[in-house]
Amino acid sequence: MTDLKEGVCLKGFWLNHEHCCWKAETPFENRDTCSDWRIWSQLIIGTTEGAFAYILNYFMYVIWALLFSLLAVSLVKGFAPYACGSGIPEIKTILSGFIIRGYLGKWTLIIKTITLVLAVSSGLSLGKEGPLVHVACCCGNILCHLFIKYRKNEAKRREVLSAAAAAGVSVAFGAPIGGVLFSLEEVSYYFPLKTLWRSFFAALVAAFTLRSINPFGNSRLVLFYVEFHTPWHLLELVPFILLGIFGGLWGAFFIRSNIAWCRRRKTTKLGRYPVLEVLVVTAVTAILAFPNEYTRMSTSELISELFNDCGILDYSKLCEYVSDFNSTKGDDLPDRAAGPGVYTAMWQLALALILKVFITIFTFGMKVPSGLFIPSMAVGAIVGRLLGVGMEQLAYYHHDWTIFSGWCSQGADCITPGLYAMVGAAACLGGVTRMTVSLVVIMFELTGGLEYIVPLMAAAMTSKWVADAIGREGIYDAHIRLNGYPFLEAKEEFSHKTLAMDVMRPRRNDPPLTVITQDSMTVEDVEVIINETTYSGYPVVVSRESQRLVGFVLRRDLIISIENARKKQDGIVSTSIIYFTDHSPPLPPSSPSMLKLRSILDLSPFTVTDQTPMEIVVDIFRKLGLRQCLVTHNGKLLGIITKKDVLKHIAQMANQDPDSILFN
Amino acid sequence: MTDLKEGVCLKGFWLNHEHCCWKAETPFENRDTCSDWRIWSQLIIGTTEGAFAYILNYFMYVIWALLFSLLAVSLVKGFAPYACGSGIPEIKTILSGFIIRGYLGKWTLIIKTITLVLAVSSGLSLGKEGPLVHVACCCGNILCHLFIKYRKNEAKRREVLSAAAAAGVSVAFGAPIGGVLFSLEEVSYYFPLKTLWRSFFAALVAAFTLRSINPFGNSRLVLFYVEFHTPWHLLELVPFILLGIFGGLWGAFFIRSNIAWCRRRKTTKLGRYPVLEVLVVTAVTAILAFPNEYTRMSTSELISELFNDCGILDYSKLCEYVSDFNSTKGDDLPDRAAGPGVYTAMWQLALALILKVFITIFTFGMKVPSGLFIPSMAVGAIVGRLLGVGMEQLAYYHHDWTIFSGWCSQGADCITPGLYAMVGAAACLGGVTRMTVSLVVIMFELTGGLEYIVPLMAAAMTSKWVADAIGREGIYDAHIRLNGYPFLEAKEEFSHKTLAMDVMRPRRNDPPLTVITQDSMTVEDVEVIINETTYSGYPVVVSRESQRLVGFVLRRDLIISIENARKKQDGIVSTSIIYFTDHSPPLPPSSPSMLKLRSILDLSPFTVTDQTPMEIVVDIFRKLGLRQCLVTHNGKLLGIITKKDVLKHIAQMANQDPDSILFN
């Protein structure tokens, strides 16, 4: 569909340019111009020459782009509003224990699958990786409904989702190990070893299925297979670290700008016209992209070309070097002087860079499925390739400089610009997402470049440091905060000296905590409490005087039980006494019959003492995934701390507005 | 030193065979016989021919082996008894919160480093990887002492140890990512994301340092670099899974036999003669190993040779195929008929396999540093290579069989025996250690064979399944249980329906829990309690009647505080009342002065109710790394559950002897 924007294949409109010309008997150099593939102007007015043909092609390109994106945004808006975006912030939130109904449902699955294809082919600056993780999680969630064990158990279902996320990345990149690590590092909240092992299995099956389908026709799983012939030199770490710094700066810049724009969309009128917004961005992208061949091609093709090391058989502009065939031995080309093609390519790449940098800010967060991996990698790969070619030419013309002496003599192949592109891509992706181990693993699973772990690691680290120095949050965490999801960040340490008593409710001057006694309250008393408060649960104590904690009862269970009892059980009236005790005393015959509710009482509520440091309380909330925790002093119930209280307290301590936790 | 067993280099005794002959102007085929390298018989009696020369070489080989191992075991026994074994079970236990004094000290570091070299060069069937992890953890622990932040904080120090373990594997295998994952999957107990990120940094620096030193002289980090030219076929998964099954069976067999032997050593007289044991095993190994060239060479060399794909330039016996040079194109050799050399090699490898399988059982656990990675990989690699050559010959002679049709025509290169060796090595290593993701990553970092993720994953999975079906524990867990370390396994779910009240002490008919009251006990009362019980801490309650919990005080702190007070504080006598309260009442002037001990009271002890399911209690102990937890009922203190109680209960529920948790 991406190629439909440029032309059509006469053998079948569903064939792309490459597959259309696959078996044509044209010589290798002219493989791009086979007779079956017709550019639009060729098909309509019979020529590809002249200004009119160019304008016609331009027009068709923009029209197709608009058509695809209009279809995509309409489907999303009409059928599944949750299908937009990358989905990773929401999946992180869901895995941390929050429930968003319908977010992983079948409509989201169907619509996201279709619109993802449309969005990618419309030529917008977005990728398919994040949305594929969301799609995989939808599949996992739907499959869970088939098994009672998983349908009934939230925790087990979250483990399935962790494994699904791994499988999603495994398929998106052909990177099974990277997928498992991505799920561990970026997506999952709580990742026990048995989940690691199950995710590994899911990723294996996913990779195996992909291998059986053989989508790239070359028995390889990897998307951008590269084979470099030259080892890197220690001194090259300097440019690699420079790329890391750029990646960090770009990541921080992108996150700030994107969040600012998304906040604007949330708070101003802009948010009311999602279709118009998508169409405008698509039009701008298409109009600016068409004249430059590096933006006109799909972003994956661009990355693939940038990663590629120029061989003898490469005829792309990026490989137009002044060849000196005397010094060529076998496949190993020495560093050569750049030809005019390379210089043109440099300019075009620089322009492409500017376009990608700015348009991605406006694209990510629109009402279409949109991933960030591919655009980030493209930005990094362009910068890396530019730097790589620069280094190469420097080494070629100035191989007598001291820094090159000893490892880069004349006629040697010392600099591989493709490697710089790879390192740059890793750096930018790291700056945006703040991944470390998973990033490096994905990068080398993606390219097969196992020799280059150290450069990739160095760039990923630098990029994370630089970006963290500017702003602590990765793009997904930033979007979680923007949307006000109740997500308790597990990465940062809470190191303030506050105590549980400073955070619990009721505060010092508030009325005392609303409690229910175990054997002295009537149905009416409890109903008054339910109506007057909005808490989701109430502690049950021995008596108001002793305040000794017995258990915790959920509002929902209380309402349902009382309702049922009033309907079905004889003699339950407003003055009936509710018993939460194991044994109830014999009642005088005149009194109304009693309501026994021990079965709905949670007898093991979580407690901490009022003197517990908040550092430990935060740790307990994170590790045990609690929603609330009761606070006691010398065995007496004093108050309650909810997840919301913890989140607000953390925000307050970090000098942020505690009310930014919106829970909307 | 390994090569010293065979001969000596005249240019310098510290040079090994390969380095000695590095620059000799001998032709490529004869590189093994340069003039500077003298086999012992050559040096002593001037010839390498004849029975006497052979016997002399044999004798020297055994003597050197005995010398090295004697030195190793004497040093371990004399200076650092903790330097023996692989150290990984102990490090796992330490990371789970148990303290073994001196285990990570400087003497262990020094002696283990020296004796590891000796043990490996003695030709025993052991590897250097596990001990290197121990050595790295010693370094980490010693460095911790330099910084107050780490010296004072156990939890922080454990994070450093996790990172050190990653660095250790990173150096041992040249596998930085594999190291991080090994630390995550196998070694660390609690591995938060920030540890992941720090381990990654440590592993990066380790890999970078290794790369700068360039130990293999080829700018590569990897130990056994292989480059295969043929993609694998889906049908080959059948033999790969067979290898997985073998790996699992071998792993389970090895663990059972090794544990049985180690238990025998622990319980019988055998354990009293560690030096003799090491010498006997070394002598047996050396005597049986010398006649077979595949056992005479070092195990790493053997693995390297088994992984290698035969090229045109390989002159080893394993590559003695009947060459048909007409069908050879470039580097790609088609499958060929095996020559006599291959058949000889097969027999020798089969014998080597038998030796390795049995001798490793007796070697692992002796009083010398010994890793398991290399021997396990060797066993798997031999079986894999045998199967690979078998498959290759099958495909060569029967390429008309249906199973080969379509992918293995005559003259094609369809089977790569080296790949089978690689898969076999992964399967056996997986069977012994039960690693999954880290194993696959280590294997492909080790070999550079990124294309073979799916075969490696399939073999690792099968092997884990098969081995788990026979016995749940990996070798490290089995050794932890053998030694009775208090290690709370985090991998298995506890799914029994018992409650906290079933596990807590005191039991139903026992005397009540020993408690201290907050404001009514005298110094003497407390001293009586300390002398009469051996608990490591006591709960403090409001009063004996109310039993409402105030806090928890450690025995050690109590003893020190009372001692200090008696010495330094005026008026503290046996009848002085100890106050744990915030404010103490005014005392009548006649009474002895009081002792205020609120400062040593832990005001936030961990509590659960008696009705809490043990499933949750076990989870809390694991995730929060607790040592004890108090049990309450309706706000009153009932009992206490210690880590030991939890471990005993788990053993009991699994129908094991609860007293096998020895804590020795």
Side-chain angles (χ1 to χ4, degrees):
Chain A
M1 277 170 72
T2 299
D3 286 0
L4 256 187
K5 298 206 299 293
E6 297 187 19
V8 71
C9 183
L10 294 186
K11 283 197 285 187
F13 70 92
W14 60 86
L15 290 173
N16 72 6
H17 195 159
E18 196 183 346
H19 279 108
C20 186
C21 298
W22 202 264
K23 285 188 177 168
E25 304 295 314
T26 47
F28 195 68
E29 305 96 282
N30 300 330
R31 60 188 161 167
D32 282 353
T33 52
C34 70
S35 59
D36 284 330
W37 178 258
R38 293 290 165 83
I39 296 169
W40 287 115
S41 66
Q42 227 174 343
L43 194 77
I44 299 171
I45 60 168
T47 176
T48 60
E49 306 291 319
F52 183 65
Y54 185 81
I55 291 169
L56 184 64
N57 283 330
Y58 206 148
F59 179 73
M60 289 302 289
Y61 186 88
V62 177
I63 287 297
W64 277 109
L66 286 172
L67 188 70
F68 289 150
S69 66
L70 177 65
L71 207 54
V73 70
S74 314
L75 282 172
V76 168
K77 197 161 171 278
F79 296 97
Y82 285 142
C84 68
S86 90
I88 292 179
E90 286 79 10
I91 289 168
K92 278 187 84 162
T93 313
I94 289 173
L95 286 178
S96 82
F98 189 59
I99 293 167
I100 310 178
R101 289 211 186 281
Y103 197 83
L104 300 174
K106 62 178 182 304
W107 278 107
T108 311
L109 171 64
I110 297 167
I111 297 298
K112 191 141 193 173
T113 311
I114 298 169
T115 52
L116 176 58
V117 175
L118 290 166
V120 169
S121 13
S122 75
L124 280 166
S125 180
L126 46 79
K128 66 180 198 304
E129 285 66 27
L132 272 179
V133 171
H134 185 182
V135 164
C137 285
C138 289
C139 294
N141 187 49
I142 291 168
L143 285 175
C144 276
H145 282 289
L146 299 181
F147 303 96
I148 289 179
K149 184 177 171 194
Y150 293 98
R151 193 169 51 212
K152 293 264 166 107
N153 190 330
E154 269 299 315
K156 285 241 165 286
R157 205 192 304 173
R158 277 181 231 152
E159 284 176 25
V160 173
L161 293 185
S162 288
V169 176
S170 173
V171 170
F173 286 116
I177 313 264
V180 174
L181 290 175
F182 180 77
S183 176
L184 164 70
E185 194 176 358
E186 197 58 46
V187 182
S188 299
Y189 190 72
Y190 167 61
F191 202 90
L193 272 177
K194 64 179 172 359
T195 310
L196 182 72
W197 155 242
R198 283 159 194 184
S199 303
F200 183 60
F201 182 70
L204 167 69
V205 174
F208 182 73
T209 314
L210 193 68
R211 170 75 167 66
S212 311
I213 297 171
N214 200 356
F216 308 112
N218 56 1
S219 294
R220 292 194 197 281
L221 278 181
V222 297
L223 207 53
F224 310 118
Y225 184 76
V226 291
E227 206 168 327
F228 301 142
H229 301 282
T230 335
W232 55 279
H233 189 268
L234 278 187
L235 273 178
E236 286 187 275
L237 275 183
V238 177
F240 294 151
I241 285 173
L242 283 179
L243 284 174
I245 294 173
F246 170 80
L249 290 176
W250 185 73
F253 165 74
F254 174 80
I255 292 171
R256 287 222 174 163
S257 330
N258 181 255
I259 290 296
W261 180 250
C262 287
R263 178 160 292 134
R264 187 174 202 104
R265 184 187 292 129
K266 254 180 116 81
T267 51
T268 65
K269 275 193 212 164
L270 190 70
R272 284 188 233 155
Y273 310 105
V275 178
L276 189 66
E277 187 195 358
V278 169
L279 287 180
V280 168
V281 173
T282 313
V284 171
T285 311
I287 289 168
L288 293 176
F290 186 82
N292 184 340
E293 67 170 294
Y294 290 108
T295 46
R296 198 192 312 166
M297 63 172 71
S298 78
T299 318
S300 334
E301 277 176 60
L302 172 62
I303 295 175
S304 181
E305 189 160 339
L306 291 169
F307 280 8
N308 185 32
D309 189 18
C310 289
I312 307 178
L313 291 176
D314 283 309
Y315 285 87
S316 79
K317 255 198 299 185
L318 262 176
C319 294
E320 253 188 42
Y321 286 90
V322 180
S323 277
D324 176 11
F325 278 104
N326 299 329
S327 63
T328 307
K329 312 165 198 132
D331 233 18
D332 245 15
L333 290 176
D335 286 351
R336 293 159 298 167
V342 175
Y343 287 111
T344 321
M346 292 294 102
W347 276 114
Q348 290 183 334
L349 282 177
L351 290 173
L353 175 67
I354 296 170
L355 174 63
K356 294 263 173 212
V357 162
F358 288 100
I359 207 74
T360 310
I361 294 170
F362 299 100
T363 308
F364 189 70
M366 290 196 311
K367 276 272 171 221
V368 286
S370 56
L372 251 187
F373 275 47
I374 292 283
S376 310
M377 283 174 68
V379 167
I382 294 175
V383 172
R385 187 81 188 199
L386 292 177
L387 184 65
V389 172
M391 282 292 291
E392 186 191 39
Q393 295 307 309
L394 202 69
Y396 177 76
Y397 287 113
H398 302 284
H399 48 78
D400 47 345
W401 284 7
T402 348
I403 48 163
F404 294 118
S405 72
W407 61 287
C408 196
S409 54
Q410 191 167 14
D413 179 19
C414 14
I415 308 278
T416 313
L419 172 61
Y420 284 71
M422 214 166 104
V423 171
C428 281
L429 191 50
V432 171
T433 59
R434 311 291 160 85
M435 301 190 288
T436 53
V437 190
S438 52
L439 172 64
V440 175
V441 174
I442 287 178
M443 281 309 291
F444 72 64
E445 281 195 282
L446 208 56
T447 58
L450 196 72
E451 295 287 294
Y452 304 104
I453 293 183
V454 174
L456 286 172
M457 283 176 108
M461 304 266 315
T462 320
S463 146
K464 187 181 157 70
W465 270 334
V466 171
D468 274 354
I470 302 174
R472 286 292 297 169
E473 290 173 321
I475 185 75
Y476 302 128
D477 294 333
H479 271 264
I480 284 174
R481 201 156 58 80
L482 175 73
N483 290 316
Y485 297 130
F487 182 76
L488 187 54
E489 181 54 67
K491 279 174 203 166
E492 275 176 71
E493 254 171 292
F494 181 85
S495 55
H496 300 280
K497 296 280 169 223
T498 45
L499 297 178
M501 59 187 299
D502 306 327
V503 179
M504 72 174 191
R505 290 171 186 274
R507 292 298 164 85
R508 205 170 293 268
N509 300 321
D510 289 352
L513 187 69
T514 315
V515 294
I516 295 175
T517 56
Q518 67 173 349
D519 54 3
S520 60
M521 275 182 147
T522 62
V523 170
E524 197 179 4
D525 294 340
V526 172
E527 279 173 336
V528 166
I529 288 179
I530 290 174
N531 290 332
E532 281 182 354
T533 61
T534 56
Y535 306 130
S536 64
Y538 306 92
V540 175
V541 295
V542 172
S543 65
R544 270 196 202 286
E545 298 71 45
S546 79
Q547 288 282 342
R548 292 199 335 244
L549 180 68
V550 174
F552 194 79
V553 63
L554 287 178
R555 177 197 187 85
R556 202 182 47 201
D557 293 343
L558 259 185
I559 294 177
I560 294 172
S561 304
I562 293 179
E563 224 167 68
N564 277 347
R566 272 189 187 271
K567 271 189 210 150
K568 294 176 192 159
Q569 201 176 326
D570 275 343
I572 297 292
V573 291
S574 295
T575 52
S576 299
I577 289 182
I578 296 180
Y579 282 93
F580 289 100
T581 48
D582 217 357
H583 304 286
S584 42
L587 287 177
S590 64
S591 62
S593 62
M594 61 192 163
L595 180 52
K596 289 186 183 178
L597 289 183
R598 192 174 176 85
S599 59
I600 62 164
L601 188 63
D602 172 12
L603 285 166
S604 54
F606 226 86
T607 58
V608 294
T609 66
D610 57 341
Q611 297 293 322
T612 312
M614 272 311 285
E615 198 181 332
I616 292 176
V617 176
V618 170
D619 202 44
I620 293 172
F621 266 86
R622 277 177 189 155
K623 285 189 190 154
L624 303 178
L626 298 184
R627 298 207 180 148
Q628 72 270 322
C629 177
L630 297 166
V631 182
T632 59
H633 175 76
N634 288 8
K636 286 186 177 177
L637 181 67
L638 266 196
I640 187 168
I641 297 179
T642 63
K643 191 169 177 183
K644 197 169 159 182
D645 297 327
V646 173
L647 283 165
K648 281 194 176 175
H649 183 69
I650 292 176
Q652 210 169 11
M653 288 290 124
N655 287 323
Q656 290 165 349
D657 177 18
D659 291 320
S660 68
I661 319 266
L662 295 166
F663 298 92
N664 56 350
Chain B
M1 277 170 72
T2 298
D3 286 0
L4 256 187
K5 298 206 299 292
E6 297 185 20
V8 71
C9 183
L10 294 188
K11 284 197 288 187
F13 71 93
W14 60 87
L15 289 173
N16 71 7
H17 195 159
E18 196 183 346
H19 279 107
C20 185
C21 299
W22 202 262
K23 285 187 177 168
E25 303 295 314
T26 47
F28 195 67
E29 305 97 279
N30 300 330
R31 59 187 162 168
D32 281 354
T33 52
C34 71
S35 58
D36 284 330
W37 179 257
R38 293 288 166 83
I39 296 169
W40 287 115
S41 66
Q42 227 174 343
L43 194 76
I44 300 171
I45 58 167
T47 176
T48 62
E49 307 291 318
F52 183 64
Y54 185 81
I55 291 168
L56 183 65
N57 283 330
Y58 206 149
F59 179 73
M60 289 302 289
Y61 186 89
V62 178
I63 287 297
W64 276 108
L66 286 172
L67 188 71
F68 289 151
S69 66
L70 177 65
L71 207 55
V73 70
S74 315
L75 281 172
V76 167
K77 196 159 171 278
F79 296 96
Y82 285 143
C84 69
S86 91
I88 292 180
E90 286 79 10
I91 289 168
K92 280 188 83 163
T93 313
I94 290 173
L95 286 177
S96 81
F98 189 59
I99 293 168
I100 309 178
R101 289 208 187 280
Y103 198 82
L104 300 174
K106 61 177 182 304
W107 277 108
T108 311
L109 171 65
I110 296 167
I111 297 299
K112 190 141 192 173
T113 310
I114 298 169
T115 52
L116 177 57
V117 174
L118 290 166
V120 170
S121 15
S122 75
L124 280 166
S125 180
L126 46 79
K128 67 181 196 306
E129 285 66 26
L132 271 179
V133 171
H134 184 183
V135 164
C137 285
C138 290
C139 294
N141 187 49
I142 291 167
L143 284 175
C144 277
H145 282 289
L146 299 181
F147 304 95
I148 290 180
K149 185 177 171 195
Y150 293 97
R151 192 169 50 213
K152 293 264 166 106
N153 190 330
E154 268 301 314
K156 286 241 165 287
R157 204 192 305 172
R158 276 181 231 152
E159 284 176 24
V160 173
L161 294 185
S162 288
V169 176
S170 174
V171 170
F173 286 118
I177 313 264
V180 173
L181 290 176
F182 179 77
S183 176
L184 163 70
E185 195 177 357
E186 198 59 45
V187 182
S188 299
Y189 191 72
Y190 167 61
F191 202 89
L193 273 178
K194 64 179 171 0
T195 309
L196 182 72
W197 155 242
R198 284 161 193 182
S199 302
F200 183 59
F201 182 70
L204 167 68
V205 174
F208 181 73
T209 314
L210 193 67
R211 172 75 167 68
S212 312
I213 297 170
N214 200 357
F216 307 113
N218 57 1
S219 293
R220 293 194 196 281
L221 277 181
V222 297
L223 207 52
F224 310 117
Y225 184 78
V226 291
E227 207 169 326
F228 300 142
H229 300 282
T230 335
W232 54 280
H233 189 268
L234 278 187
L235 273 178
E236 286 188 275
L237 275 181
V238 177
F240 294 152
I241 286 173
L242 284 180
L243 285 174
I245 294 173
F246 171 79
L249 291 176
W250 185 73
F253 165 72
F254 174 79
I255 292 171
R256 287 222 173 161
S257 330
N258 181 254
I259 291 296
W261 180 249
C262 288
R263 180 161 290 133
R264 188 174 202 103
R265 184 187 293 128
K266 255 179 115 80
T267 51
T268 64
K269 277 192 211 165
L270 190 70
R272 284 188 232 155
Y273 311 104
V275 178
L276 189 67
E277 186 194 0
V278 170
L279 288 181
V280 169
V281 173
T282 312
V284 172
T285 311
I287 289 168
L288 294 177
F290 185 84
N292 185 340
E293 67 170 294
Y294 290 109
T295 45
R296 198 192 314 166
M297 63 172 73
S298 78
T299 319
S300 332
E301 277 176 60
L302 172 63
I303 295 174
S304 181
E305 188 160 338
L306 292 170
F307 281 8
N308 185 32
D309 189 18
C310 289
I312 307 177
L313 292 175
D314 284 309
Y315 285 86
S316 80
K317 254 197 299 185
L318 262 176
C319 293
E320 252 189 43
Y321 286 91
V322 180
S323 277
D324 175 12
F325 278 103
N326 298 328
S327 63
T328 307
K329 313 166 198 129
D331 234 18
D332 245 15
L333 289 175
D335 286 350
R336 294 160 296 169
V342 175
Y343 287 110
T344 321
M346 292 295 102
W347 276 115
Q348 290 183 334
L349 281 177
L351 289 174
L353 176 67
I354 295 169
L355 174 63
K356 295 262 173 212
V357 162
F358 288 102
I359 206 73
T360 311
I361 294 169
F362 299 100
T363 308
F364 188 71
M366 289 197 311
K367 277 270 171 221
V368 286
S370 56
L372 250 187
F373 275 46
I374 291 283
S376 309
M377 283 173 67
V379 167
I382 294 175
V383 173
R385 187 83 189 198
L386 292 176
L387 184 65
V389 172
M391 282 292 292
E392 186 191 39
Q393 295 308 311
L394 202 69
Y396 176 77
Y397 287 113
H398 302 284
H399 49 78
D400 46 346
W401 284 7
T402 349
I403 48 163
F404 294 118
S405 72
W407 61 286
C408 194
S409 53
Q410 191 166 15
D413 179 20
C414 15
I415 309 277
T416 313
L419 172 61
Y420 284 71
M422 213 166 105
V423 172
C428 281
L429 191 50
V432 172
T433 60
R434 311 292 160 84
M435 302 190 289
T436 54
V437 190
S438 51
L439 172 64
V440 175
V441 174
I442 287 178
M443 282 309 291
F444 72 65
E445 280 195 281
L446 207 57
T447 58
L450 196 72
E451 295 287 294
Y452 303 104
I453 293 183
V454 174
L456 287 173
M457 283 176 108
M461 305 265 315
T462 319
S463 143
K464 188 182 155 70
W465 270 333
V466 171
D468 275 353
I470 302 174
R472 288 290 297 168
E473 291 172 321
I475 184 75
Y476 301 129
D477 295 333
H479 271 266
I480 285 174
R481 201 155 58 81
L482 176 74
N483 289 316
Y485 297 131
F487 182 75
L488 188 54
E489 181 54 68
K491 280 175 201 164
E492 276 177 70
E493 254 170 294
F494 180 85
S495 55
H496 301 280
K497 297 278 170 228
T498 46
L499 297 178
M501 59 187 301
D502 306 327
V503 180
M504 71 174 192
R505 293 174 183 270
R507 293 297 164 85
R508 206 171 292 266
N509 301 320
D510 289 351
L513 187 69
T514 314
V515 294
I516 295 175
T517 57
Q518 65 172 352
D519 55 4
S520 60
M521 274 182 148
T522 62
V523 169
E524 197 180 3
D525 293 340
V526 172
E527 280 173 337
V528 166
I529 288 179
I530 290 173
N531 291 332
E532 282 182 355
T533 61
T534 56
Y535 306 129
S536 63
Y538 306 92
V540 175
V541 295
V542 172
S543 65
R544 270 196 202 285
E545 298 71 44
S546 78
Q547 288 282 342
R548 290 197 338 241
L549 181 69
V550 175
F552 193 81
V553 64
L554 287 179
R555 177 197 187 86
R556 204 182 47 202
D557 292 344
L558 259 185
I559 294 176
I560 295 173
S561 303
I562 293 178
E563 223 167 66
N564 277 346
R566 273 189 188 271
K567 271 187 209 151
K568 294 176 192 161
Q569 201 176 325
D570 277 340
I572 298 292
V573 290
S574 294
T575 51
S576 299
I577 289 182
I578 296 180
Y579 281 93
F580 289 100
T581 48
D582 218 357
H583 305 287
S584 42
L587 288 178
S590 64
S591 61
S593 62
M594 62 192 161
L595 179 54
K596 288 186 185 180
L597 289 183
R598 193 174 175 85
S599 58
I600 62 164
L601 188 63
D602 172 12
L603 284 165
S604 52
F606 225 86
T607 58
V608 295
T609 66
D610 57 341
Q611 296 293 321
T612 311
M614 272 312 284
E615 198 181 333
I616 292 177
V617 176
V618 170
D619 201 45
I620 294 172
F621 266 86
R622 277 176 189 158
K623 286 189 189 154
L624 303 178
L626 298 184
R627 297 206 182 150
Q628 72 270 323
C629 178
L630 297 166
V631 183
T632 61
H633 174 77
N634 288 6
K636 286 185 177 178
L637 180 67
L638 267 196
I640 188 168
I641 297 179
T642 63
K643 192 169 176 182
K644 195 170 160 181
D645 297 327
V646 173
L647 283 165
K648 281 194 176 174
H649 183 69
I650 292 176
Q652 209 170 11
M653 287 290 123
N655 287 322
Q656 290 164 349
D657 177 20
D659 292 320
S660 67
I661 320 274
L662 295 166
F663 297 92
N664 56 350

